[in-house]
């Protein structure tokens, strides 16, 4: 446990009768940019399964980095909010109103994995949170920091996937084969919309894929702003626009329209022959299957990939696999200022309570949070410290196993000691 260490002494854990007074919160400007005080109150949700263990590790590392970089001049006040099993035990609800209120007040938060209970209606808390705060872009930076990987040159992968989070088949509607609804839709499509009987035989199942200009453009703007802020050069917008012209094709066209907006004119270049100069990014369109191949064959070219929901899902997992798996990839769900960072893996029930879980995905998500609030130096120190720790061949059991598979011996430590090893190298 790290709860009793000096690094976590000021964390405000949840309790029924706690008072949250005199705290400073991040505020939102009209243009959805954020104002960050030197001691912002930021919300965390431990999550289920291994969540509490990896959360302590993340808080330990992030607080150590902030302390080392800023002395006492900047400091996060962490406030625990409940969701999932712990919320149900304490409040009877899996996502209490207090948690939503706190996330709204704090603007920025971070969460561990939340399990979806099987057979209880199975409502996903993650999608409830996404809906409540309209986190419309899922951002996954994929880069190698020294962990075991299946490819010979993982350092060539350094790409940020922007996956649209609110549109596409995930918000579509489905009609199962041989149901009355499917028959109704089929009839409408054949009789009124010119669909062919051959394409829609009697036993057809139908999924509707909606994609909107407004949702696409706000997502693309976020990705382009990020690319410009972080000095990225090569940005791809991907899709199977050659097949699904009204949706994925339109997604690509809308992205190029955004590049023409006054904010981006001259900064986002689209001429296929041109090279981006200082302060510019180059936007190119790439068919999704091409991108999947390029990520394996030529990953160093791409810095940012803008994708709709489904393609973003595929591409971010392939990219994650190249650098050793999702356990090493952070993520952020970002909307109009509101942001919730989270680990990319699940609750790993089998490992819960054993202090063997790998805390890197959540810890790197913590570093991403620091970047988001503008505390970039502290974030960089975490990246460097993780690199050093892995270079010294220290890791949780899954990391050690990965090294051993490659014939490299490594020292196995607990989740908590791993956090300490990282913090010692900041
Ligand atoms: P999982 O990611 O929990 O586990 C898959 C495998 O990876 C297991 O062998 C597990 O032990 C291992 N693993 C995962 N994270 C690890 C870590 N940090 N360190 C070491 N090993 C790790 O995926 P699964 O089993 O499909 O899902 C379990 C639950 O998690 C489900 O209820 C699911 O809905 C939820 N989930 C939640 C997510 C979220 O909150 N963002 C994301 C994915 C799943």
């Amino acid at each position: 446990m790290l709860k009793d260490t000096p690094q976590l002494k000021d964390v405000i854990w949840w309790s029924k009768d706690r008072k949250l007074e005199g705290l400073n919160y991040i505020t939102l400007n009209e243009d959805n940019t954020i104002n960050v005080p030197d001691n912002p109150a930021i919300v965390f949700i431990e999550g289920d399964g291994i969540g509490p263990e990896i959360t302590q590790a993340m808080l330990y590392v992030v607080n150590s980095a902030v302390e080392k970089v800023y002395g006492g001049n900047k400091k996060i006040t962490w406030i625990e909010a409940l969701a999932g099993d712990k919320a149900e035990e304490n409040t009877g609800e899996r996502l209490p109103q207090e948690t939503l209120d706190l996330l709204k007040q704090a603007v920025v938060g971070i969460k561990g994995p939340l399990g979806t209970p099987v057979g209880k209606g199975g409502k996903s808390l993650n999608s409830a949170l996404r809906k409540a705060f309209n986190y419309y872009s899922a951002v996954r930076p994929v880069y190698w920091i020294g962990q075991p990987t299946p490819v010979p040159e993982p350092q060539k992968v350094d790409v940020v996937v922007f996956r649209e989070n609110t549109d596409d088949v995930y918000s579509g509607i489905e009609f199962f084969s041989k149901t009355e609804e499917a028959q109704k839709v089929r009839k409408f499509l054949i009789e009124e919309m010119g669909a062919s009987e051959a394409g829609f035989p009697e036993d057809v199942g139908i999924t509707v894929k909606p994609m909107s200009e407004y949702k696409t453009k706000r997502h693309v703007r976020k990705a382009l702003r990020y690319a410009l802020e972080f000095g990225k050069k090569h940005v791809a917008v991907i899709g199977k626009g050659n097949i699904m012209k009204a949706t994925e094709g339109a997604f690509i066209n809308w992205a190029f329209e955004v590049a023409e907006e006054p904010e981006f004119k001259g900064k986002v270049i689209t001429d296929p022959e041109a090279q981006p100069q200082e302060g510019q990014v180059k936007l190119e369109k790439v068919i999704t299957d091409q991108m999947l191949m390029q990520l394996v064959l030529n990953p160093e070219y791409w810095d940012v990939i803008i994708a709709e929901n489904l393609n973003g899902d595929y591409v971010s997992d392939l990219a994650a696999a190249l650098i050793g798996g999702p356990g090493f990839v952070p993520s952020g769900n970002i909307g109009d200022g509101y942001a919730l960072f989270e680990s990319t893996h699940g609750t790993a029930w089998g490992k819960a309570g054993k202090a063997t879980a790998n805390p890197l995905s959540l810890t790197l998500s913590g570093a991403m949070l620091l970047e988001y609030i503008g505390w970039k130096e502290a974030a960089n120190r975490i990246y460097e410290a993780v690199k050093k720790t892995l270079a010294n061949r220290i890791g949780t059991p899954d990391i050690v196993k990965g090294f051993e598979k490659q014939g490299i011996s490594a020292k196995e430590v607990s989740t908590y000691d791993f956090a300490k090893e990282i913090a010692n190298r900041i």
Side-chain angles (χ1 to χ4, degrees), residues 50 111 113-116 126 342-349 351 357-358 398:
I50 58 172
K111 65 173 274 291
L114 290 167
T116 305
N126 292 315
E342 66 172 337
S343 47
T344 47
H345 53 75
T347 52
W349 295 111
K351 297 191 169 105
N358 175 356
D398 59 309

Side-chain angles (χ1 to χ4, degrees), residues 59-132:
L59 294 173
Y60 189 97
V61 173
V62 171
N63 282 355
S64 302
V66 170
E67 167 65 27
K68 284 203 180 147
V69 173
Y70 306 113
N73 295 331
K74 285 182 198 268
K75 189 174 176 196
I76 294 172
T77 302
W78 293 102
I79 309 172
E80 184 185 14
L82 299 185
D85 291 349
K86 192 170 177 184
E88 193 164 4
E89 278 156 31
N90 285 286
T91 69
E93 287 178 76
R94 294 190 67 76
L95 186 58
Q97 186 58 42
E98 188 201 34
T99 296
L100 296 172
D101 293 344
L102 274 173
L103 281 169
K104 181 145 198 236
Q105 172 87 68
V107 181
V108 174
I110 186 164
K111 65 173 274 291
L114 290 167
T116 305
V118 182
K120 290 190 193 172
K123 203 164 168 260
S124 158
L125 298 182
N126 292 315
S127 66
L129 284 166
R130 205 174 299 146
K131 275 200 193 116

